[in-house]
Each structure stands twice: as C-alpha cells, then as structure tokens.
Amino acid sequence: MTSYDALAEVYEWLISDAKLNPAEFAASFDDALSLLPSNAHVLDCSCGTGQLAVGLAGLGIQVVATDASEAMVRRTAELSEEFKAPVRTLRADWQELPDHFDDDTFDMVFCVGNSLHHAVGARGRVAALESMSRLLRRDGRLVLTSRTWELVRARGSRLDISDRLVRRNGRNAVVIYRWEIASQWEEEHHIEIAVAQVDAAGSVLVRSELLSCWPYQYDELTAELHRSDSGRKGARTTLRPRTTWWWRARYRQRAHRP
C-alpha cells in the first residue's frame, strides 16, 4: 500500500484552490449531503489531510476520518483542531475497516480524490469496495471519485511540470509529476510526485514520493461495484431493502489526490 508519508507534509500544494477550504470542499457534495438523515454518521476512508472530513464536521455531521498513512491522519487531526470541528481520526487501510467498525455503522462513506487506484489490482479493489460497503446502513451511500484512466494511459509515460508557482502558507512551490505507464492495464503503474518549495532567498527544498497504482477502466469499475453489491445482498435477509452502494461515481481526469 502506498504510504503518502513523505508527501503529507507538503500535500496542500497538491490540492486545488477550490478544495483547499474545508467548507467549500464539503459544499461540492451538497447534492449527496442533502440525502443524509439527521444525526448522520459519515466515514471519509481516504481522508488525506482532512479538508473534506473537517468540512463535513463543520456542518454538524458526525465524522470519522481514516487513511492508510499515519502522517495523513495526523494532519487531519491537526486541521480538525485548527477549525474546531470534531473529527475522530484513525489510521486504517480499506481492508482493515471492518476490524474497527461494525457493519451498518455509517449513513455515507466517502472514497474521493483518486484513492482507489492504490488498491492492488482487481482483487484489491473489490476487497476495498466490499470493506467500505459492509459499513453502510440500510439505504447508505458510497460516494466515489476517480480520475479517468483511459485518458491517463492514452498520454503514456511522461513528465508533467506545472507552468506556474503554487502559493501555500506564504511559500511558493513547483509541482512535478512523473508518470510510468505500464504496457498492460493490469500491471503496476507508478506516479512519482515532487514538490519543490522555493523560499524568498531562492533556496529550494524538494519532497518527493514514488506511488504505486493499479488503474482500471470505467466498465471494469462499474462491474466491480455491482459485483460487490450482489455479494452483500446475498449475505442479507431477503426482507432487507437493497442498499445503494455506488450512489455516485465522479469519473474524471483530475481530483485532489494524485
């Protein structure tokens, strides 16, 4: 599992301006949030540095934020304290979630920001989806976002260097992505991300991390979501209404997590 521990310290340079403010990030999911019951319990299971989780907590929602990276979880806790928006934080990857939470715990589970491709292959993806889905209550919803891997693979291996400085916390940085695109879909791909911070004196501090990912096609992801749904129904009484696992999938090229 990719760690993100090195990038956690500079992750704000990888977040778009529109998603940097917790309240604005949460507001981008207003259509989903309008379906939540009162006193809703929500899980953000790829929380990153916590912008979404803290934004949701600011709305009065009971939020748990988890991530496979200990450093990301720490930064989420720090952001929660800064905004005085209570969020319970926990380090856990997707397959560990059922070890920490009972089935039917949450009204909504978020897995957003280009996270799912870090699950190892189709088997890992399905296991992650099943773990998340087990935690949903009756009529619960899984909100998933992803980059469009068909477009990413079509561009091949490459080096993407930002054409502008990104300013965060009074400091500027250049963001660089190096893509290693494997020949086959099912093979491990790599993204190396570097954040080069430039101070007023011209000194440069670079933090970088090599990330593993296993891409998927849209139709493949759709089939896996439906397969996860069918498995869960088979484990439930026939009197139980069908739970909506994949309530909304935003399939697009860029989002807040690389």
Side-chain angles (χ1 to χ4, degrees):
M1 175 68 71
T2 292
S3 72
Y4 277 90
D5 287 340
L7 288 176
E9 300 306 318
V10 293
Y11 200 71
E12 54 265 45
W13 278 273
L14 304 179
I15 302 173
S16 68
D17 293 342
K19 296 173 181 175
L20 194 61
N21 180 277
E24 292 179 9
F25 194 8
S28 68
F29 292 98
D30 275 350
D31 51 350
L33 300 178
S34 67
L35 301 174
L36 285 173
S38 58
N39 301 316
H41 288 71
V42 170
L43 171 66
D44 181 358
C45 67
S46 51
C47 65
T49 49
Q51 277 71 22
L52 177 58
V54 170
L56 296 173
L59 298 173
I61 298 170
Q62 299 180 66
V63 181
V64 178
T66 66
D67 200 283
S69 166
E70 187 70 51
M72 289 291 203
V73 170
R74 173 181 52 77
R75 292 212 58 190
T76 295
E78 292 170 351
L79 192 69
S80 171
E81 182 176 354
E82 176 185 345
F83 280 82
K84 295 180 170 45
V87 174
R88 178 189 170 192
T89 56
L90 176 70
R91 196 225 65 81
D93 64 32
W94 293 303
Q95 296 188 51
E96 294 170 332
L97 292 174
D99 298 332
H100 297 282
F101 306 104
D102 294 333
D103 291 1
D104 310 314
T105 294
F106 297 102
D107 299 289
M108 190 168 287
V109 173
F110 284 87
C111 179
V112 303
N114 295 324
S115 301
L116 189 60
H117 64 230
H118 294 309
V120 181
R123 181 176 298 180
R125 264 191 322 276
V126 170
L129 292 169
E130 290 177 346
S131 291
M132 289 184 275
S133 300
R134 282 179 56 180
L135 307 184
L136 287 168
R137 291 174 176 168
R138 178 184 302 180
D139 297 323
R141 283 143 173 109
L142 169 61
V143 181
L144 171 69
T145 70
S146 173
R147 66 166 29 93
T148 305
W149 273 101
E150 288 88 343
L151 297 179
V152 175
R153 280 184 50 83
R155 296 182 62 194
S157 298
R158 62 194 182 276
L159 187 67
D160 289 338
I161 304 175
S162 176
D163 59 359
R164 67 182 181 90
L165 291 172
V166 179
R167 190 165 183 81
R168 297 286 186 264
N169 306 319
R171 300 191 68 180
N172 292 321
V174 174
V175 179
I176 302 168
Y177 289 78
R178 182 175 65 85
W179 301 80
E180 294 181 6
I181 305 300
S183 60
Q184 302 298 321
W185 276 92
E186 64 273 13
E187 295 177 346
E188 182 177 4
H189 293 45
H190 293 97
I191 311 171
E192 185 174 12
I193 304 174
V195 177
Q197 299 177 68
V198 185
D199 64 20
S203 298
V204 178
L205 173 64
V206 180
R207 284 189 173 91
S208 66
E209 193 161 2
L210 182 64
L211 309 172
S212 295
C213 51
W214 286 262
Y216 40 79
Q217 300 179 70
Y218 179 84
D219 290 343
E220 183 180 14
L221 177 60
T222 302
E224 290 165 353
L225 286 159
H226 285 305
R227 188 158 63 249
S228 298
D229 182 29
S230 299
R232 186 172 192 261
K233 285 190 295 183
R236 303 284 174 172
T237 172
T238 56
L239 297 177
R240 187 179 180 89
R242 181 181 184 275
T243 297
T244 304
W245 292 78
W246 184 25
W247 176 78
R248 180 179 69 179
R250 292 177 170 180
Y251 201 72
R252 57 195 178 194
Q253 188 172 7
R254 293 291 296 274
H256 86 279
R257 171 162 287 190

